[in-house]
Amino acid sequence: MNPVERYKREKHPLDLVEDVERYAEEGLSFEELEAREGGGAWERFKWAGMYAHGTHDDYFMLRTKVPGGHLTPEQATTIGEVAREFATAPDEHGGAAQNPVWGDAYLDITTRQDVQMHWIELEDVPEIWERYDEVGLTTIQGCGDSARNVLGCPAAGLSGREAFDAQPVVDAVSDFFTGNGEYANLPRKFKLTITGCTEDCAQSQINDVGLVPAEREIDGQSHYGFHARVGGGLSDGPRMASELDVFVRPEDAVEFTRAVAQTFKELGERTNRGLCRMRYLVEQMGPDRFEEAVRDRCTVDLPTRGTGLTEGYRGDHVGVHDQREERLTYIGFNVVAGRMGGEEFVEAAEAARRYGTEETTVRLATDQNFLITHVPEDDVEDLLAEPFAAAYSPDPGPFTRGAVGCTGSEFCNYGIIETKRRIRRWAERLDEAIDLPEEIDVVRVHLSGCSASCAQPQIADVGFRGETVKVLAGESEASRSPEAGAEDGGAAETGRAAGDDIVEGVDLGLGGSLGLDNEFLDWVETAVPADAVVPALEALFGIYAEERGENERFYEWCRRVENDRLRTIARGADANVSGGVAHGD
């Protein structure tokens, strides 16, 4: 039994919720907590949606679950106010100037439609929970070995590109698992996505369970429901989800997902932590045997598959879009790397109230952006004149639009390199330097600070995972380069470590996508010093522009070209692209 399983056996993780309030009342420091509870406390905090900061004792990251990304303006205001009041760094860690781009009191929209805040003190958590209770929000099981936030289409109920509105199903499944002790101790995290959208923007192909729209005749009548995909995921063992031969009625979705969780709970690996994810179980058993195990545990009838209604994949909802209702629109705002000020989020919620109808909502998307819905056409111009809208334009450049970044080494225990400022800086430089055809409105560039893939690099046109690089040949120009981060007050682009020859860098991957032509990218070059990344991409996109076929996207070109040639093109840039190795190799 691995240590995490021992911790969970010593005390059920959900019991920590009451402990948090007691710890807060007593004002315990991290040192005092560990002395009393041992190392298991840090693992159990995750079920309360709390991660200890990697390098800052006595501070937490707090994750708020937002099923399907749907927020009322009141909920969005509360989240922004909590960030403004509680996500503040102490003076010894820089105070209001602790981040040279975002300052202080900011929040992060994640690729799982959650909201994360940093610098949260234990003593403030009960008050945050009290405010959340008043508006129907929770952090419970935001992390940990249980069902995480349930993903959905951020445009559910709005778009003409959906078979039916699946948000009620998202809510029902989320309600079933949240706080349910029976399924709060699974072998590993359990990620679900449910959508009635034909464009699969909720990313069913890379989740443990993905329910996508389908239609089937039952007893002579046509019914909408779901087809099921299982065993998808990223990280070090990426796997595209497998199709099961089942048709799930909307009213049976809770029971079906419970049966899948029961199968995972009983049969999943609990010894080797690196093989505990459900995708390894599906791979080991095979989809047919896994389906048989689910059917054995499911208390409702599961007909065989009908007709799938998924037509492709839509990666974002940025821009101004017509809703189904006449003369109503929803607006997708671009938030580079998902980070924005708490006060700005409050302003967005207030703008939704001011310009939207009574049905207006604020919605979070899997590309780290947000939407404001139910805006009358005549009010769009005024809404876009609001100060927050200028900072998060619905009409960004293609690289800025596609930029995704994880938490990185700034706060994460696993992060190897800084990510948020870096991906923003790279995207801005690439938009300035590369002239793309007009029909290419987005290039997906995803930066993960380590191999855990929180930024989903494997499904991007261009994906990065952080490395510490030992430079073997040539010398990085970062410290003398105007691109080295001076414009945002940051350190040198390479983030030099203990020795002059050790720098921050990345592995470079090309050609990923979801959809009907889904493939994970290929890791084309390893241990690229960070200051060589933009020149390498300039070289690649230059050749792409010359050789591009009609309507050929960048990821399609990357698949058509041999990896050896892609590597040669990147190495031909005026930068030390290939002059390093992963530190420790």
PDB file of all heavy atoms in Angstrom, residues 383-394:
ATOM      1  N   LEU A 383     -20.695  47.192 -23.416  1.00  0.00           N
ATOM      2  CA  LEU A 383     -20.004  46.240 -22.544  1.00  0.00           C
ATOM      3  C   LEU A 383     -18.523  46.160 -22.905  1.00  0.00           C
ATOM      4  O   LEU A 383     -17.650  46.136 -22.027  1.00  0.00           O
ATOM      5  CB  LEU A 383     -20.661  44.862 -22.653  1.00  0.00           C
ATOM      6  CG  LEU A 383     -20.233  43.810 -21.616  1.00  0.00           C
ATOM      7  CD1 LEU A 383     -21.307  42.745 -21.447  1.00  0.00           C
ATOM      8  CD2 LEU A 383     -18.924  43.127 -21.992  1.00  0.00           C
ATOM      9  N   LEU A 384     -18.237  46.119 -24.191  1.00  0.00           N
ATOM     10  CA  LEU A 384     -16.839  46.007 -24.623  1.00  0.00           C
ATOM     11  C   LEU A 384     -16.042  47.273 -24.355  1.00  0.00           C
ATOM     12  O   LEU A 384     -14.808  47.265 -24.442  1.00  0.00           O
ATOM     13  CB  LEU A 384     -16.780  45.654 -26.112  1.00  0.00           C
ATOM     14  CG  LEU A 384     -17.323  44.269 -26.488  1.00  0.00           C
ATOM     15  CD1 LEU A 384     -17.211  44.030 -27.982  1.00  0.00           C
ATOM     16  CD2 LEU A 384     -16.585  43.171 -25.724  1.00  0.00           C
ATOM     17  N   ALA A 385     -16.701  48.362 -24.014  1.00  0.00           N
ATOM     18  CA  ALA A 385     -16.009  49.602 -23.649  1.00  0.00           C
ATOM     19  C   ALA A 385     -15.626  49.618 -22.174  1.00  0.00           C
ATOM     20  O   ALA A 385     -14.918  50.533 -21.731  1.00  0.00           O
ATOM     21  CB  ALA A 385     -16.881  50.804 -23.979  1.00  0.00           C
ATOM     22  N   GLU A 386     -16.071  48.620 -21.403  1.00  0.00           N
ATOM     23  CA  GLU A 386     -15.714  48.551 -19.990  1.00  0.00           C
ATOM     24  C   GLU A 386     -14.210  48.301 -19.848  1.00  0.00           C
ATOM     25  O   GLU A 386     -13.613  47.590 -20.668  1.00  0.00           O
ATOM     26  CB  GLU A 386     -16.498  47.428 -19.303  1.00  0.00           C
ATOM     27  CG  GLU A 386     -17.994  47.678 -19.191  1.00  0.00           C
ATOM     28  CD  GLU A 386     -18.330  48.737 -18.158  1.00  0.00           C
ATOM     29  OE1 GLU A 386     -17.599  48.835 -17.146  1.00  0.00           O
ATOM     30  OE2 GLU A 386     -19.322  49.466 -18.361  1.00  0.00           O
ATOM     31  N   PRO A 387     -13.576  48.854 -18.816  1.00  0.00           N
ATOM     32  CA  PRO A 387     -12.119  48.709 -18.662  1.00  0.00           C
ATOM     33  C   PRO A 387     -11.634  47.264 -18.651  1.00  0.00           C
ATOM     34  O   PRO A 387     -10.615  46.940 -19.274  1.00  0.00           O
ATOM     35  CB  PRO A 387     -11.847  49.407 -17.319  1.00  0.00           C
ATOM     36  CG  PRO A 387     -12.950  50.400 -17.185  1.00  0.00           C
ATOM     37  CD  PRO A 387     -14.152  49.756 -17.798  1.00  0.00           C
ATOM     38  N   PHE A 388     -12.345  46.357 -17.972  1.00  0.00           N
ATOM     39  CA  PHE A 388     -11.872  44.978 -17.903  1.00  0.00           C
ATOM     40  C   PHE A 388     -11.869  44.339 -19.293  1.00  0.00           C
ATOM     41  O   PHE A 388     -11.033  43.482 -19.592  1.00  0.00           O
ATOM     42  CB  PHE A 388     -12.753  44.152 -16.949  1.00  0.00           C
ATOM     43  CG  PHE A 388     -14.000  43.612 -17.587  1.00  0.00           C
ATOM     44  CD1 PHE A 388     -14.003  42.367 -18.214  1.00  0.00           C
ATOM     45  CD2 PHE A 388     -15.177  44.347 -17.585  1.00  0.00           C
ATOM     46  CE1 PHE A 388     -15.149  41.871 -18.816  1.00  0.00           C
ATOM     47  CE2 PHE A 388     -16.320  43.864 -18.178  1.00  0.00           C
ATOM     48  CZ  PHE A 388     -16.316  42.621 -18.799  1.00  0.00           C
ATOM     49  N   ALA A 389     -12.803  44.757 -20.155  1.00  0.00           N
ATOM     50  CA  ALA A 389     -12.915  44.152 -21.478  1.00  0.00           C
ATOM     51  C   ALA A 389     -11.722  44.490 -22.356  1.00  0.00           C
ATOM     52  O   ALA A 389     -11.322  43.689 -23.213  1.00  0.00           O
ATOM     53  CB  ALA A 389     -14.212  44.600 -22.142  1.00  0.00           C
ATOM     54  N   ALA A 390     -11.141  45.655 -22.150  1.00  0.00           N
ATOM     55  CA  ALA A 390      -9.957  46.029 -22.922  1.00  0.00           C
ATOM     56  C   ALA A 390      -8.779  45.138 -22.567  1.00  0.00           C
ATOM     57  O   ALA A 390      -7.949  44.800 -23.417  1.00  0.00           O
ATOM     58  CB  ALA A 390      -9.614  47.491 -22.670  1.00  0.00           C
ATOM     59  N   ALA A 391      -8.697  44.735 -21.296  1.00  0.00           N
ATOM     60  CA  ALA A 391      -7.580  43.897 -20.853  1.00  0.00           C
ATOM     61  C   ALA A 391      -7.733  42.452 -21.310  1.00  0.00           C
ATOM     62  O   ALA A 391      -6.735  41.732 -21.427  1.00  0.00           O
ATOM     63  CB  ALA A 391      -7.469  43.949 -19.324  1.00  0.00           C
ATOM     64  N   TYR A 392      -8.979  42.015 -21.570  1.00  0.00           N
ATOM     65  CA  TYR A 392      -9.239  40.609 -21.919  1.00  0.00           C
ATOM     66  C   TYR A 392     -10.043  40.556 -23.213  1.00  0.00           C
ATOM     67  O   TYR A 392     -11.156  40.055 -23.261  1.00  0.00           O
ATOM     68  CB  TYR A 392      -9.958  39.909 -20.758  1.00  0.00           C
ATOM     69  CG  TYR A 392      -9.151  40.027 -19.478  1.00  0.00           C
ATOM     70  CD1 TYR A 392      -9.518  40.931 -18.486  1.00  0.00           C
ATOM     71  CD2 TYR A 392      -7.984  39.300 -19.318  1.00  0.00           C
ATOM     72  CE1 TYR A 392      -8.748  41.081 -17.346  1.00  0.00           C
ATOM     73  CE2 TYR A 392      -7.205  39.436 -18.179  1.00  0.00           C
ATOM     74  CZ  TYR A 392      -7.600  40.332 -17.192  1.00  0.00           C
ATOM     75  OH  TYR A 392      -6.813  40.475 -16.081  1.00  0.00           O
ATOM     76  N   SER A 393      -9.438  41.082 -24.245  1.00  0.00           N
ATOM     77  CA  SER A 393     -10.112  41.312 -25.520  1.00  0.00           C
ATOM     78  C   SER A 393     -10.727  40.036 -26.090  1.00  0.00           C
ATOM     79  O   SER A 393     -10.088  38.968 -26.099  1.00  0.00           O
ATOM     80  CB  SER A 393      -9.106  41.866 -26.534  1.00  0.00           C
ATOM     81  OG  SER A 393      -9.676  41.894 -27.833  1.00  0.00           O
ATOM     82  N   PRO A 394     -11.946  40.127 -26.618  1.00  0.00           N
ATOM     83  CA  PRO A 394     -12.536  38.994 -27.336  1.00  0.00           C
ATOM     84  C   PRO A 394     -12.034  38.862 -28.762  1.00  0.00           C
ATOM     85  O   PRO A 394     -12.506  38.004 -29.507  1.00  0.00           O
ATOM     86  CB  PRO A 394     -14.036  39.318 -27.305  1.00  0.00           C
ATOM     87  CG  PRO A 394     -14.095  40.806 -27.266  1.00  0.00           C
ATOM     88  CD  PRO A 394     -12.900  41.242 -26.457  1.00  0.00           C
TER      89      PRO A 394
END
